[in-house]
Amino acid sequence: MDRKGKNWLRGIMAGIFCAGVLTGGVGVGVAFADFSRFTYVPVRADEEAFQTETFTYAIGPEDGERIWIRDFLGGKRCYLKEDEEICQGTVEIRVVYDAERCRPMMTPRMDQEDDRILDLYLESYNNDLEDLMAVKDQFLEGLKDGQWREFQIEYVRSVECHVNPADLDRMRMY
C-alpha cells in the first residue's frame, strides 16, 4: 500500500471515530435529559404496621447504683425524658416499631461494677428479597411516571426513656 492509500485509510478511520464520539455524545445528552425529568418521591412505611411497646422496669432504691440504657435502637436515637407521672424508682421505655418487621426486646443485667444495664435490641424477621419483590411493581410504575421512588423501611420510629426527675441523675446512656 502506498502513501496515498494509507492516508485515505486513516481519514476513513478518523471519520468513523468522530461519528462514534458524536453518536455517544448525543446518547449521553438524551439520557441526561430523560433522567433530569425524574422527581424524587419518598414512600414512607405503612402507618398501620406501627405499634407502641412499653417496657417498665423497677430500678430500686440502691444508693449510687447507675442505670445504663442503650442510646441507639433500630436506627433511631433513644431520648431520656423527665416525667413527673412516672413513679420514683421506675423507668419506662416506650418503643414505636414496625410490628411486621421486628419486635423490641429488653434484657436487664448487671456489669462488673454492680451497675444495672438495660439492653434494648430488636428481634428482626424480615427478608430483603421479599421487601424488594413487594415494591417492585410500584417502583417500575414510578419510573414510567418519571418518579424515582424510595421505599423507606423503618424498623423503629421512636425510642423514649421516661424517668422521674428524682432518678434522672442515676440514668446513663451508652
Side-chain angles (χ1 to χ4, degrees), residues 41-96:
V41 179
V43 180
R44 290 190 53 100
D46 194 19
E47 291 295 323
E48 290 87 36
F50 284 90
Q51 295 180 1
T52 301
E53 182 143 351
T54 302
F55 298 100
T56 304
Y57 186 76
I59 57 176
E62 291 85 6
D63 273 344
E65 180 186 44
R66 291 185 304 259
I67 311 298
W68 292 87
I69 298 175
R70 183 171 299 192
D71 67 346
F72 200 73
L73 179 68
K76 298 294 180 186
R77 183 145 317 271
C78 179
Y79 293 101
L80 186 61
K81 296 189 174 194
E82 294 182 35
D83 193 343
E84 293 283 342
E85 295 179 9
I86 303 296
C87 297
Q88 188 171 351
T90 304
V91 177
E92 272 191 14
I93 301 171
R94 298 178 190 146
V95 180
V96 179

Coordinates of all heavy atoms in Angstrom, one line a residue, residues 41-96:
V41 N -39.5 10.9 45.0 CA -40.7 10.7 45.8 C -40.4 9.7 46.9 O -40.3 8.5 46.6 CB -41.8 10.2 44.9 CG1 -43.1 10.0 45.8 CG2 -42.1 11.1 43.8
P42 N -40.2 10.1 48.2 CA -40.0 9.2 49.2 C -41.4 8.5 49.6 O -42.4 9.2 49.7 CB -39.5 10.0 50.4 CG -40.0 11.4 50.1 CD -40.1 11.5 48.6
V43 N -41.4 7.2 49.8 CA -42.6 6.5 50.1 C -42.4 6.0 51.6 O -41.6 5.1 51.8 CB -42.9 5.3 49.2 CG1 -44.1 4.6 49.6 CG2 -43.0 5.8 47.7
R44 N -43.2 6.5 52.5 CA -43.0 6.2 53.9 C -43.6 4.8 54.2 O -44.5 4.4 53.5 CB -43.6 7.2 54.8 CG -42.8 8.5 54.8 CD -43.2 9.5 55.8 NE -43.3 8.9 57.2 CZ -42.3 9.1 58.1 NH1 -41.3 9.8 57.8 NH2 -42.5 8.6 59.3
A45 N -43.2 4.2 55.3 CA -43.8 2.9 55.7 C -45.2 3.1 56.1 O -45.7 4.1 56.4 CB -43.0 2.4 56.9
D46 N -45.9 2.0 56.0 CA -47.4 1.9 56.3 C -47.6 2.2 57.7 O -47.1 1.5 58.6 CB -47.9 0.6 55.9 CG -49.4 0.5 55.8 OD1 -50.0 1.6 55.7 OD2 -50.0 -0.6 55.8
E47 N -48.4 3.2 58.1 CA -48.7 3.6 59.4 C -49.4 2.6 60.3 O -49.2 2.5 61.5 CB -49.5 4.9 59.5 CG -48.8 6.1 59.0 CD -47.6 6.5 59.8 OE1 -47.7 6.4 61.1 OE2 -46.6 6.9 59.3
E48 N -50.2 1.7 59.6 CA -51.0 0.7 60.4 C -50.1 -0.3 61.0 O -50.5 -1.0 61.9 CB -52.0 0.1 59.5 CG -53.2 1.0 59.1 CD -52.9 1.8 57.9 OE1 -52.2 1.2 56.9 OE2 -53.3 2.9 57.8
A49 N -48.9 -0.5 60.5 CA -48.0 -1.6 61.0 C -47.3 -1.2 62.2 O -46.7 -2.0 62.9 CB -47.0 -1.9 59.9
F50 N -47.3 0.1 62.6 CA -46.5 0.6 63.8 C -47.3 0.4 65.1 O -48.5 0.7 65.1 CB -46.1 2.0 63.6 CG -45.0 2.2 62.7 CD1 -45.2 2.4 61.3 CD2 -43.7 2.1 63.1 CE1 -44.1 2.5 60.5 CE2 -42.6 2.2 62.3 CZ -42.8 2.4 60.9
Q51 N -46.6 -0.1 66.1 CA -47.2 -0.3 67.4 C -46.3 0.3 68.4 O -45.1 0.5 68.2 CB -47.4 -1.8 67.7 CG -48.4 -2.5 66.8 CD -48.5 -4.0 67.1 OE1 -47.8 -4.5 68.0 NE2 -49.3 -4.7 66.4
T52 N -46.8 0.5 69.6 CA -46.0 1.0 70.7 C -45.9 -0.1 71.8 O -46.9 -0.7 72.2 CB -46.7 2.3 71.3 OG1 -46.8 3.3 70.3 CG2 -45.8 2.8 72.5
E53 N -44.7 -0.3 72.2 CA -44.5 -1.3 73.3 C -43.8 -0.5 74.4 O -42.9 0.3 74.2 CB -43.6 -2.4 72.9 CG -43.4 -3.4 74.0 CD -43.4 -4.9 73.5 OE1 -43.8 -5.1 72.3 OE2 -43.1 -5.7 74.3
T54 N -44.3 -0.7 75.7 CA -43.7 0.0 76.8 C -43.1 -1.1 77.7 O -43.7 -2.0 78.1 CB -44.8 0.7 77.6 OG1 -45.4 1.7 76.7 CG2 -44.2 1.5 78.8
F55 N -41.8 -0.9 78.0 CA -41.1 -1.7 79.0 C -41.0 -0.9 80.3 O -40.5 0.2 80.3 CB -39.7 -2.0 78.5 CG -39.6 -2.8 77.2 CD1 -39.4 -2.1 76.0 CD2 -39.9 -4.1 77.2 CE1 -39.4 -2.8 74.8 CE2 -39.8 -4.9 76.0 CZ -39.6 -4.2 74.8
T56 N -41.5 -1.5 81.4 CA -41.4 -0.9 82.7 C -40.4 -1.7 83.5 O -40.5 -2.9 83.6 CB -42.8 -0.8 83.4 OG1 -43.7 -0.2 82.5 CG2 -42.8 -0.1 84.7
Y57 N -39.5 -1.0 84.2 CA -38.5 -1.6 85.0 C -38.3 -0.9 86.3 O -38.2 0.3 86.3 CB -37.2 -1.7 84.2 CG -36.1 -2.5 84.9 CD1 -36.2 -3.9 84.9 CD2 -35.1 -1.9 85.6 CE1 -35.2 -4.6 85.5 CE2 -34.1 -2.6 86.2 CZ -34.2 -4.0 86.2 OH -33.2 -4.7 86.8
A58 N -38.4 -1.6 87.4 CA -38.2 -1.1 88.7 C -36.7 -1.0 89.0 O -36.0 -2.1 89.0 CB -38.9 -1.9 89.8
I59 N -36.2 0.2 89.2 CA -34.7 0.3 89.4 C -34.2 0.2 90.8 O -33.1 0.1 91.0 CB -34.2 1.6 88.7 CG1 -34.9 2.8 89.3 CG2 -34.4 1.5 87.2 CD1 -34.3 4.1 88.8
G60 N -35.1 0.2 91.7 CA -34.7 0.0 93.1 C -34.1 1.2 93.8 O -33.6 2.1 93.1
P61 N -34.1 1.2 95.1 CA -33.6 2.4 95.8 C -32.1 2.4 96.2 O -31.6 3.2 97.0 CB -34.4 2.4 97.1 CG -34.6 0.9 97.4 CD -34.7 0.3 96.0
E62 N -31.3 1.5 95.6 CA -29.9 1.4 96.0 C -29.2 2.7 95.7 O -29.2 3.3 94.6 CB -29.2 0.3 95.2 CG -29.6 -1.1 95.5 CD -30.9 -1.6 94.8 OE1 -31.4 -0.8 93.9 OE2 -31.5 -2.6 95.1
D63 N -28.4 3.1 96.7 CA -27.6 4.4 96.6 C -26.5 4.2 95.6 O -25.7 3.2 95.7 CB -27.1 4.8 97.9 CG -28.1 5.7 98.7 OD1 -29.1 6.1 98.0 OD2 -28.0 5.8 99.9
G64 N -26.2 5.1 94.8 CA -25.1 5.1 93.9 C -25.2 4.2 92.7 O -24.3 4.2 91.8
E65 N -26.2 3.4 92.7 CA -26.4 2.4 91.5 C -26.8 3.3 90.3 O -27.7 4.1 90.3 CB -27.5 1.4 91.8 CG -27.7 0.4 90.7 CD -28.8 -0.5 90.9 OE1 -29.9 -0.1 91.4 OE2 -28.7 -1.7 90.6
R66 N -26.0 3.0 89.2 CA -26.3 3.7 88.0 C -27.1 2.7 87.0 O -26.8 1.5 87.1 CB -25.1 4.2 87.3 CG -24.4 5.3 88.1 CD -23.2 5.9 87.3 NE -22.2 4.9 87.0 CZ -21.1 4.7 87.7 NH1 -20.8 5.4 88.7 NH2 -20.3 3.7 87.4
I67 N -27.9 3.3 86.2 CA -28.7 2.5 85.3 C -28.3 2.9 83.9 O -28.4 4.1 83.5 CB -30.2 2.7 85.4 CG1 -30.7 2.6 86.9 CG2 -31.0 1.8 84.5 CD1 -30.5 1.3 87.5
W68 N -27.8 2.0 83.1 CA -27.3 2.3 81.7 C -28.3 1.8 80.7 O -28.8 0.6 80.8 CB -25.9 1.6 81.5 CG -24.8 2.1 82.3 CD1 -24.5 1.7 83.6 CD2 -23.9 3.1 82.0 NE1 -23.4 2.5 84.0 CE2 -23.0 3.3 83.0 CE3 -23.7 3.9 80.8 CZ2 -22.0 4.2 83.0 CZ3 -22.7 4.8 80.8 CH2 -21.9 5.0 81.9
I69 N -28.6 2.6 79.8 CA -29.6 2.3 78.7 C -28.9 2.6 77.4 O -28.3 3.6 77.2 CB -30.9 3.1 78.8 CG1 -31.5 2.7 80.2 CG2 -31.8 2.8 77.7 CD1 -32.8 3.5 80.5
R70 N -29.1 1.6 76.4 CA -28.5 1.8 75.1 C -29.2 3.0 74.4 O -30.4 3.1 74.5 CB -28.7 0.6 74.3 CG -28.1 0.7 72.9 CD -28.2 -0.6 72.2 NE -27.4 -1.6 73.0 CZ -27.0 -2.8 72.5 NH1 -27.4 -3.1 71.3 NH2 -26.3 -3.6 73.3
D71 N -28.4 3.9 73.8 CA -29.0 5.1 73.3 C -29.3 5.0 71.8 O -29.6 6.1 71.2 CB -28.1 6.3 73.6 CG -26.8 6.2 72.8 OD1 -26.4 5.1 72.3 OD2 -26.1 7.3 72.8
F72 N -29.2 3.8 71.2 CA -29.5 3.7 69.8 C -30.2 2.4 69.5 O -29.7 1.3 70.0 CB -28.1 3.7 69.1 CG -28.2 4.1 67.6 CD1 -28.5 5.4 67.2 CD2 -28.0 3.1 66.6 CE1 -28.6 5.7 65.9 CE2 -28.1 3.4 65.3 CZ -28.4 4.7 64.9
L73 N -31.3 2.4 68.9 CA -32.0 1.2 68.6 C -32.7 1.2 67.2 O -33.5 2.2 67.0 CB -33.1 0.9 69.7 CG -34.0 -0.3 69.5 CD1 -33.1 -1.6 69.7 CD2 -35.1 -0.3 70.4
G74 N -32.4 0.3 66.4 CA -33.0 0.2 65.1 C -32.9 1.5 64.2 O -33.8 1.8 63.5
G75 N -31.8 2.2 64.3 CA -31.5 3.3 63.5 C -32.1 4.6 64.1 O -32.0 5.7 63.5
K76 N -32.6 4.6 65.3 CA -33.1 5.8 66.0 C -32.4 6.0 67.3 O -32.1 5.0 68.0 CB -34.6 5.6 66.2 CG -35.5 5.5 65.0 CD -35.4 6.7 64.1 CE -36.2 6.5 62.9 NZ -36.2 7.6 62.0
R77 N -32.3 7.2 67.7 CA -31.6 7.6 69.0 C -32.7 7.5 70.1 O -33.8 7.9 69.9 CB -31.1 9.0 68.9 CG -30.4 9.4 70.1 CD -29.1 10.2 70.0 NE -28.2 10.0 69.0 CZ -27.1 9.2 69.1 NH1 -27.0 8.5 70.2 NH2 -26.2 9.1 68.1
C78 N -32.3 7.0 71.2 CA -33.1 6.9 72.4 C -33.0 8.2 73.2 O -31.9 8.7 73.5 CB -32.7 5.7 73.3 SG -33.7 5.6 74.7
Y79 N -34.1 8.8 73.5 CA -34.1 10.1 74.3 C -34.5 9.9 75.7 O -35.5 9.2 76.0 CB -35.0 11.1 73.6 CG -34.4 11.5 72.2 CD1 -35.0 11.0 71.1 CD2 -33.4 12.4 72.1 CE1 -34.5 11.4 69.8 CE2 -32.9 12.8 70.9 CZ -33.4 12.3 69.8 OH -32.9 12.6 68.5
L80 N -33.8 10.5 76.6 CA -34.1 10.4 78.0 C -35.0 11.6 78.4 O -34.6 12.8 78.1 CB -32.8 10.4 78.8 CG -32.9 10.2 80.3 CD1 -33.5 8.9 80.7 CD2 -31.5 10.3 81.0
K81 N -36.2 11.3 79.0 CA -37.1 12.4 79.3 C -37.6 12.4 80.7 O -37.9 11.3 81.2 CB -38.4 12.3 78.3 CG -38.0 12.5 76.9 CD -39.2 12.6 76.0 CE -38.8 12.9 74.6 NZ -39.9 13.4 73.8
E82 N -37.6 13.5 81.3 CA -38.2 13.6 82.7 C -39.7 13.6 82.6 O -40.3 14.2 81.7 CB -37.8 15.0 83.3 CG -36.3 15.1 83.6 CD -36.0 16.4 84.2 OE1 -36.8 16.9 85.1 OE2 -35.0 17.0 83.9
D83 N -40.3 12.8 83.5 CA -41.8 12.7 83.5 C -42.2 12.6 85.0 O -41.9 11.6 85.7 CB -42.2 11.4 82.7 CG -43.6 11.4 82.4 OD1 -44.4 12.1 83.1 OD2 -44.0 10.6 81.5
E84 N -43.0 13.6 85.4 CA -43.5 13.6 86.8 C -44.5 12.5 87.1 O -44.6 12.1 88.2 CB -44.1 15.0 87.1 CG -43.2 16.1 87.1 CD -42.4 16.3 88.3 OE1 -42.7 15.6 89.4 OE2 -41.3 16.9 88.3
E85 N -45.1 12.0 86.0 CA -46.1 10.9 86.2 C -45.5 9.6 86.5 O -46.2 8.7 86.9 CB -47.1 10.9 85.0 CG -47.9 12.2 84.9 CD -48.8 12.2 83.6 OE1 -48.9 11.1 83.0 OE2 -49.3 13.2 83.3
I86 N -44.3 9.4 86.2 CA -43.6 8.1 86.4 C -43.2 8.0 87.9 O -42.7 9.0 88.5 CB -42.3 8.0 85.6 CG1 -42.7 8.1 84.1 CG2 -41.6 6.7 85.8 CD1 -43.6 7.1 83.5
C87 N -43.6 6.9 88.5 CA -43.2 6.7 90.0 C -41.7 6.7 90.1 O -41.0 6.2 89.3 CB -43.8 5.4 90.4 SG -45.6 5.3 90.4
Q88 N -41.3 7.2 91.3 CA -39.9 7.2 91.6 C -39.4 5.8 91.8 O -40.1 4.9 92.3 CB -39.6 8.0 92.9 CG -38.1 8.2 93.2 CD -37.9 9.1 94.3 OE1 -38.8 9.7 94.8 NE2 -36.7 9.2 94.8
G89 N -38.2 5.5 91.2 CA -37.7 4.1 91.2 C -38.2 3.3 90.0 O -38.1 2.0 90.0
T90 N -38.8 3.9 89.0 CA -39.3 3.2 87.9 C -38.8 3.9 86.6 O -38.7 5.1 86.5 CB -40.8 3.2 87.9 OG1 -41.3 2.7 89.1 CG2 -41.4 2.4 86.7
V91 N -38.5 3.0 85.6 CA -38.1 3.5 84.3 C -39.1 2.9 83.3 O -39.4 1.8 83.3 CB -36.7 3.0 83.9 CG1 -36.3 3.4 82.5 CG2 -35.7 3.5 84.9
E92 N -39.6 3.8 82.4 CA -40.5 3.3 81.3 C -39.8 3.6 80.0 O -39.5 4.8 79.7 CB -41.8 4.1 81.4 CG -42.9 3.4 82.2 CD -44.3 4.0 82.0 OE1 -44.5 4.7 81.0 OE2 -45.1 3.7 82.9
I93 N -39.7 2.6 79.2 CA -39.1 2.8 77.9 C -40.2 2.5 76.8 O -40.7 1.4 76.8 CB -37.9 1.8 77.7 CG1 -36.8 2.1 78.7 CG2 -37.3 2.0 76.3 CD1 -35.7 1.1 78.8
R94 N -40.5 3.5 76.0 CA -41.5 3.4 75.0 C -40.9 3.3 73.6 O -40.1 4.2 73.2 CB -42.5 4.5 75.1 CG -43.2 4.6 76.4 CD -44.1 5.8 76.5 NE -44.5 6.0 77.9 CZ -44.7 7.1 78.5 NH1 -44.6 8.2 77.8 NH2 -45.1 7.2 79.8
V95 N -41.2 2.2 72.9 CA -40.6 2.0 71.6 C -41.8 1.9 70.6 O -42.7 1.1 70.8 CB -39.8 0.7 71.6 CG1 -39.2 0.4 70.2 CG2 -38.7 0.7 72.6
V96 N -41.8 2.8 69.6 CA -42.7 2.7 68.5 C -42.0 2.0 67.4 O -41.0 2.4 66.9 CB -43.2 4.1 68.0 CG1 -44.2 4.0 66.9 CG2 -43.8 4.8 69.2

